[in-house]
Amino acid sequence: MMKYIIEKDNEGVRLDRYLRKKLSDVPLTEIFKALRIGKIKVNNKKKKENYRLVEGDKIFIGIGNLQEEEEKVFLKLSDEEKRFLIKNIVFENDDLIVFNKEKDVVMHKGSGFDYGISEMFKSYYETDDFNFINRIDKKTSGLVIGAKNKISTRVLAEELRENNIRKKYYILVHGNIKKNIFTIENYLKKIEDKVVVTSKDDQEGKVAVTHFKVIDRYEKYTLLEGELLTGRTHQLRVQLSDMGNPIVGDTRYGIKDGEKNLYLNSFYCEIPKYNVKIENDLPEFFKNKLKK
């Protein structure tokens, strides 16, 4: 017999999702059967799989061949990696961090990388409950939001879905844009590894909205501020490329001119729910580019 007592972090989680994590080696069909016949009970009562857990609930598992999840083994971070994480945390409280990601740093493992900053922070805080609630590409730099526990993950994810978190970007594009302020609203869909502009009638298309403001104009470039109202994959890159002003250094949607840096930086983050507002200056690599 195994017993779990629900802590505050898991309050509101569906019973089946909690069990899937605790019993990761057990087929879901077997878990559902155990719930149905009363081999798994909550507070000594049968519950359906969609039951929402409450702090203090006691879960009893009485199936002999159900095995508890293995103890989590975290990455062993070097002192240099720990210093890197600490240096780039621009805000932290008990619930969240705001991290200033450098360009050419990956957020998650995969695509040839054994781990990213997400896995590093799970190790740093020694919890698998840490999650970034937004993400930016490897070549994109700037502010990302990390939730330190399950409750803040759910709250921040909901705030993001409801557009209550403001995010702004510095963007350097090719060409000279005449309008000082403009909005792009269109529909985007993903085809294999790229995102394309589609029509409103396309059932696979998702609406994408961005407000733009010109910060400065140069001989060959325009420096923009872009504020996302939706968070579609590659939204800024595709929208600006589609209007004929691709982002400098965007080899996927723009011009392959040998530029190694992607001039896209998440510089502003505002989370009213947690009374957080961060604004960074224009990055040095932007300034160096514009001096040339």
Side-chain angles (χ1 to χ4, degrees), residues 59-256:
I59 299 178
F60 300 92
I61 301 173
I63 306 176
N65 61 347
L66 290 183
Q67 297 178 353
E68 190 172 359
E69 62 179 345
E70 295 180 2
E71 182 179 355
K72 178 70 178 179
V73 178
F74 294 102
L75 292 170
K76 185 171 178 59
L77 297 177
S78 67
D79 290 340
E80 182 180 356
E81 288 175 321
K82 291 177 183 177
R83 287 193 294 269
F84 166 77
L85 296 180
I86 294 169
K87 178 187 74 171
N88 288 294
I89 295 174
V90 295
F91 176 85
E92 180 175 15
N93 62 19
D94 291 339
D95 295 305
L96 65 95
I97 66 165
V98 179
F99 184 78
N100 191 26
K101 187 186 88 67
E102 298 176 3
K103 56 187 176 67
D104 299 320
V105 172
V106 296
M107 293 200 62
H108 301 275
K109 65 181 179 181
S111 300
F113 293 89
D114 293 332
Y115 58 90
I117 55 173
S118 178
E119 290 76 24
M120 291 170 70
F121 270 113
K122 288 177 187 291
S123 175
Y124 181 72
Y125 291 118
E126 294 187 344
T127 176
D128 209 33
D129 293 340
F130 180 91
N131 292 285
F132 280 107
I133 61 110
N134 68 318
R135 61 184 296 173
I136 54 181
D137 298 330
K138 175 189 172 186
K139 292 183 69 178
T140 305
S141 59
L143 303 174
V144 286
I145 305 162
K148 296 169 74 173
N149 53 64
K150 292 177 180 177
I151 291 176
S152 59
T153 296
R154 290 197 294 272
V155 171
L156 286 165
E158 179 64 21
E159 290 295 290
L160 194 66
R161 281 194 298 271
E162 297 297 322
N163 293 325
N164 294 328
I165 296 177
R166 296 185 68 190
K167 304 184 298 299
K168 297 180 184 180
Y169 288 76
Y170 289 125
I171 316 161
L172 187 66
V173 300
H174 289 281
N176 194 286
I177 297 176
K178 294 182 180 180
K179 290 183 179 179
N180 290 324
I181 298 174
F182 59 99
T183 298
I184 297 178
E185 179 174 351
N186 53 16
Y187 289 81
L188 306 179
K189 73 173 180 179
K190 193 170 184 179
I191 300 178
E192 295 181 352
D193 64 340
K194 293 190 74 172
V195 177
V196 299
V197 176
T198 187
S199 69
K200 182 179 180 180
D201 298 327
D202 190 335
Q203 292 185 350
E204 296 181 10
K206 295 182 179 180
V207 67
V209 185
T210 312
H211 292 326
F212 293 97
K213 179 173 69 175
V214 172
I215 299 175
D216 209 346
R217 295 180 177 91
Y218 303 85
E219 183 180 354
K220 297 188 296 182
Y221 309 119
T222 303
L223 181 61
L224 298 172
E225 173 191 293
E227 181 172 3
L228 293 174
L229 273 69
T230 55
R232 308 304 178 200
T233 301
H234 297 172
Q235 177 171 321
L236 294 167
R237 298 166 66 180
V238 176
Q239 287 183 326
L240 289 165
S241 177
D242 184 65
M243 72 174 280
N245 299 97
I247 299 173
V248 178
D250 189 351
T251 56
R252 177 174 291 190
Y253 300 103
I255 300 169
K256 296 181 180 179

